[in-house]
Amino acid sequence: MPAKKLNLRKRYELLTRGMGWETTHQDMDDVFPYDSFEGIKITDWDKWEDPFRLTMDAYWKFQAEKEKKLYAVIDSFAQNNGQTNLSDASYLSAIKLFITGVTPLEYGAHRGFAHLGRHFRGDGARIACQMQAIDELRHAQTQIHTISHYNKHFNGLHDPFHQFDRVWYLSVPKSFVEDAMTAGPFEFITSISFAFEYVLTNMLFVPFMSGAAYNGDMATVTFGFSAQSDESRHMTLGLEIIKFMLEQHEDNLPIVQRWMDKHFWRAYRLLALVSAMQDYMLTNSPLSWKEAWDVYFVENGGALFEDLSRYGLKMPKYHELATAEAEHLSHQVWSVFCLLGNATGFHTFLPTEEKMDWLSEKYPNTFDKYYRPRFEHWAKQKEEGTFQYLAALPQLCQVCQIPMIFTEVETDPMQLSFRVSEYKGDKYNTCSDGCKDIFDHEPEKYAQAWLPVHQIFQGNSGGATIPEVLEWYKFAPEDGGDYIGSQDHARWQEWKGADDKVKQA
Amino acid sequence: MLDKKNTVFLIVQDNEDARPIIEAVEQDNPDANIQYQPGMVRMEGAGQLVVNRETVEEQIGREWDVQELHLVLVSLAGNVDEDEDKFELSWH
Ligand SMILES: [Fe+2]
Ligand SMILES: [Fe+2]
Ligand SMILES: [Zn+2]
């Protein structure tokens, strides 16, 4: 008779309990030097439990199956020239921003979780972090493998990791993940697993992957959904760690609340790039940024924080402002990309008539009033040949590193939002109260920020002219600028024929 | 109409492997709100949503491990409670 199979709970317990021990040759605090300095008090690590109770054998089995499915799709996509089924080649700007801005973020998350998988004192938490470290590496790899097919046919996809460390708009995701990685382990996991993955990541992956499906990009849909299945586990880990910290000691609440406030705002600012992807870069958008925000943050985030209120945790600070900004965000971000389109690694394009009508419908309070006139004005200038890219470099926020483009949406949406702090006799500019609070709490950290524009002015970025800087970024001249008339556009026309079939024309 | 204050949700891929799970959710959660979106299916419940192993097994006529859900999972919201027989989401 075969031995009776252990149940899930029992198998999980065997994996995660009693694997560690109280060290005697070395002091426990020397073995785990990083998990106490942040002030988080843990009295019983055994109270930590992964609700999925995933064991190593199950983990490898399911991950292998996910990989098999994904690579089968990638292969058939390549064999069938799946790139020709896209809604339009201009859609690839979103994929270019994704591979340069998000994939290195996945790798950063991998490094961070590998660190936690060594340094948390509790075995259960260490194992969850080790699995997540492997997941995040898988995400970076599968994204590179999937998108490498597009690299055969389109420009701007050739060196994401080099660019992540240098390019002016990629310092936004870079500074976000490195901010978390340079904090302690509890702050890191609050930032990545909870603020980013639980509260906000649905906004990145779900509408964006659904958008890829809507635009005929089956390769991206497949890697996206394959990653999302891991993401659901990461989100659950994020919620568990918050509950765990709050249940362990009442002194943890104010620390967790401050991290929550900080990393919500950091992650939200990073998602400003996603808002532009969703509303402008996707040829067809299944859901506007504002709709996604209302569903995934206002409704679902609301339910989440209602649940957590029993621990005394409040909604993140400035969430009302983020909701008010939802009607402006994507328009402001896409405007600045269009104005600096000579310095981007992807193509920019003005919204078509059809797109503008969609935007008017989705943004009845703001698009026609504030943003349509500016896009029409630029379209007219382009027609007349008088359109000019911005000649000056933008001022960046010291914290989120986004150009100072945000406005006072609650009082005067045409007034730039601008905050200043002083630290050791120098002035530091921030884009919002959220970023200013973050700066003021740890000025010694943010005063050291590597701001791409400052670096250019200091002579650290390849030279003093735009072509020299772009060369240092490894942007080729054909990577940026207008989509219309680009090599990508020409290739698309070659496949698809007459101009009238082309959306962006 | 669901009370949005306590909505839990489970999103799965819109594919063959997920169909029996979606049908099991429909059967066992009669009030669930099920939305088909490009590439995915979003299932919402008021405060609670459950996937029962037995119901899925009835659909597919073979044994089904609750953890197979991982293969089609896209996203979720709610506290997770999983064992051999069910996968459950809830807000307290
Ligand atoms: Fe990831
Ligand atoms: Fe993740
Ligand atoms: Zn900022």
Side-chain angles (χ1 to χ4, degrees), chain A residues 8 53 69 202 243 307, chain B residues 17 74-75 79 82 84 92:
Chain A
L8 201 59
R53 303 197 179 88
K69 287 189 172 164
N202 277 320
K243 290 193 290 190
D307 191 70
Chain B
D17 290 342
V74 173
S75 188
N79 293 296
E82 184 184 332
E84 282 75 27
H92 293 282

Side-chain angles (χ1 to χ4, degrees), chain A residues 12 16-17 42-51 122-125 240-241 243-245 247-248:
Chain A
Y12 177 73
T16 56
R17 298 291 182 270
I42 303 297
T43 51
D44 183 5
W45 273 104
D46 274 347
K47 288 266 157 34
W48 162 267
E49 199 159 332
D50 169 8
D123 342 10
E240 283 314 299
I241 192 82
K243 290 193 290 190
F244 177 66
M245 286 191 284
E247 277 166 11
Q248 285 287 310

Side-chain angles (χ1 to χ4, degrees), chain A residues 7-9 51-54 58 62 65-66 69 198 202 206 210 213-214 225 228-229 232-233 235-236 239 243 286 295-296 299-300 303-304 306-307 310, chain B residues 4-7 9 11 13-14 17 37-40 42 44 65 67-68 70-84 87 90-92:
Chain A
N7 73 23
L8 201 59
R9 197 177 294 268
F52 282 123
R53 303 197 179 88
L54 203 58
F62 289 126
E65 219 166 305
K66 288 182 199 171
K69 287 189 172 164
Y198 205 107
N202 277 320
V206 181
S210 203
Y214 212 50
F225 282 158
Q228 268 308 116
S229 61
S232 308
R233 189 154 28 78
M235 293 165 64
T236 306
L239 181 55
K243 290 193 290 190
V295 173
Y296 289 103
E299 280 175 23
N300 300 147
L304 165 70
E306 179 98 343
D307 191 70
R310 69 203 145 106
Chain B
K4 294 296 184 188
K5 263 303 200 203
N6 70 351
T7 303
F9 68 76
I11 301 179
Q13 295 183 42
D14 185 4
D17 290 342
Q37 295 175 11
M40 64 186 218
R42 183 181 155 105
E44 291 182 342
D65 181 340
Q67 292 194 324
E68 288 181 51
H70 283 285
L71 296 170
V72 294
L73 198 54
V74 173
S75 188
L76 53 79
N79 293 296
V80 171
D81 185 15
E82 184 184 332
D83 61 28
E84 282 75 27
F87 177 90
S90 66
W91 290 128
H92 293 282

